[in-house]
Amino acid sequence: MTSSRNAHVFLWAVPRSLSTAFTRSMESIDNVAIYYEPYGCADHYGPEGRLFSMDNSPAELEYTYDKVKASLEDKSLENKCVFVKDMGYAVHKRYDKIAKGYKHSFLIRHPIKSFLSYYNVMVSTGADDVDGDLSRWLPEGLGYQELWELYCYLENKNGKKPFVVNADDLLKNPKQVLQKYCEAVGFEYNDGLLSWDRKPSVEWNVAQSIWDIEPFYNWLSNSLTAGGFKKELSKPIPSIEELPKIVQEYVQISMPYYEKLNSCC
């Protein structure tokens, strides 16, 4: 069986793709250090980020791209198993800032489910301009285009296809999918990956700004406490005609990139 003694792995995702639940699952990997969206924090809250240009000042001065890269390449991690969950769009056009020495994997979800979930989060905040709030957080390519371009970059650079997980497959057959995932990235599978307690068993490396907005948006709450991957969470895909107009628009733009990534599963 493949050893997880010092495997270092990125999971690149799109928003609302069960990536937080996936991260909780990885707490069961022996000797693991977990990093939660360090590049995403640099993109949203750091001095070089997209949202910094919309706000008065960056909330996380230490989250520059160079410092994130350096922290993930630190020698103190050499004998650790490292799992980094991040958004593919966070490194768009900054591929030189991706930490070296890591295997790469991808998590996708059908755009209807992803964008509808995102839209519902915005509605739950009571935002006056739900469409505007949604577009503020998402990048120009809506996440799927950037994820596909990152996949192509890594495939060309490394000469092999990164492992891709579809969130619906994960919910329907979690053990089978996670066994294949672990084999692909160099982790040692154990059944503890299938479920987790309400309280995290491993302290995550995550910026304070991400925790600070959690009470308002509840990005993470369901995944943190869900307890595991359950088939009943895999619901049928709604008809696109039933969706809010902006969700329909985003789905239509993103579907070609989703289909390309899904063909790589």
Side-chain angles (χ1 to χ4, degrees), residues 195-207:
S195 61
W196 49 86
D197 295 329
R198 292 180 66 88
K199 184 178 180 181
S201 59
V202 174
E203 183 177 357
W204 296 6
N205 295 280
V206 54

Side-chain angles (χ1 to χ4, degrees), residues 116-128:
L116 182 58
S117 175
Y118 216 142
Y119 184 87
N120 289 337
V121 166
M122 294 304 171
V123 170
S124 72
T125 67
D128 293 331

Side-chain angles (χ1 to χ4, degrees), residues 18 20-22 24-25 171 194-200 204 219-233:
L18 303 184
T20 302
F22 202 109
R24 288 237 51 197
S25 171
L171 288 177
L194 303 177
S195 61
W196 49 86
D197 295 329
R198 292 180 66 88
K199 184 178 180 181
W204 296 6
W219 299 119
L220 315 179
S221 298
N222 289 340
S223 294
L224 290 174
T225 61
F229 300 111
K230 303 172 184 178
K231 289 184 179 181
E232 56 266 28
L233 297 177

Side-chain angles (χ1 to χ4, degrees), residues 123-193:
V123 170
S124 72
T125 67
D128 293 331
D129 181 13
V130 174
D131 291 7
D133 225 16
L134 188 64
S135 63
R136 178 180 185 272
W137 285 103
L138 290 170
E140 183 178 356
L142 304 179
Y144 284 84
Q145 179 179 345
E146 289 87 355
L147 195 68
W148 170 245
E149 291 178 1
L150 176 60
Y151 179 94
C152 293
Y153 167 79
L154 292 170
E155 180 184 11
N156 291 334
K157 181 177 184 293
N158 298 324
K160 58 182 179 180
K161 296 179 181 297
F163 193 85
V164 181
V165 176
N166 189 304
D168 277 326
D169 294 337
L170 179 62
L171 288 177
K172 293 174 183 176
N173 299 291
K175 183 170 184 175
Q176 179 182 1
V177 170
L178 288 171
Q179 284 177 332
K180 290 181 179 179
Y181 180 82
C182 288
E183 181 179 0
V185 302
F187 288 166
E188 186 172 348
Y189 173 83
N190 67 84
D191 284 342
L193 276 72

Side-chain angles (χ1 to χ4, degrees), residues 61-79:
L61 292 172
E62 292 299 309
Y63 273 79
T64 67
Y65 279 85
D66 282 335
K67 287 183 178 180
V68 169
K69 182 176 185 290
S71 70
L72 296 176
E73 293 176 348
D74 192 274
K75 289 185 178 180
S76 65
L77 297 175
E78 287 182 355
N79 293 319

Side-chain angles (χ1 to χ4, degrees), residues 47-119:
E48 303 160 299
R50 291 183 301 114
L51 297 191
F52 170 43
S53 63
M54 303 178 189
D55 299 321
N56 294 324
S57 61
E60 298 286 353
L61 292 172
E62 292 299 309
Y63 273 79
T64 67
Y65 279 85
D66 282 335
K67 287 183 178 180
V68 169
K69 182 176 185 290
S71 70
L72 296 176
E73 293 176 348
D74 192 274
K75 289 185 178 180
S76 65
L77 297 175
E78 287 182 355
N79 293 319
K80 296 282 290 184
C81 182
V82 183
F83 178 80
V84 186
K85 176 262 178 176
D86 222 316
M87 295 297 159
Y89 65 73
V91 293
H92 187 56
K93 297 182 179 180
R94 299 180 188 266
Y95 298 147
D96 61 316
K97 304 301 183 182
I98 299 174
K100 297 179 180 179
Y102 284 72
K103 290 187 177 180
H104 297 273
S105 57
F106 287 71
L107 179 64
I108 60 173
R109 192 183 190 190
H110 195 288
I112 286 181
K113 292 186 175 182
S114 177
F115 289 122
L116 182 58
S117 175
Y118 216 142
Y119 184 87

Side-chain angles (χ1 to χ4, degrees), residues 2 7 10 14 19-20 96 125 136 154-155 171 191 241 245 247 260 263:
T2 303
F10 273 105
V14 291
S19 58
T20 302
D96 61 316
T125 67
R136 178 180 185 272
L154 292 170
E155 180 184 11
L171 288 177
D191 284 342
E241 291 79 13
K245 185 176 180 181
V247 176
K260 290 176 181 179
S263 70

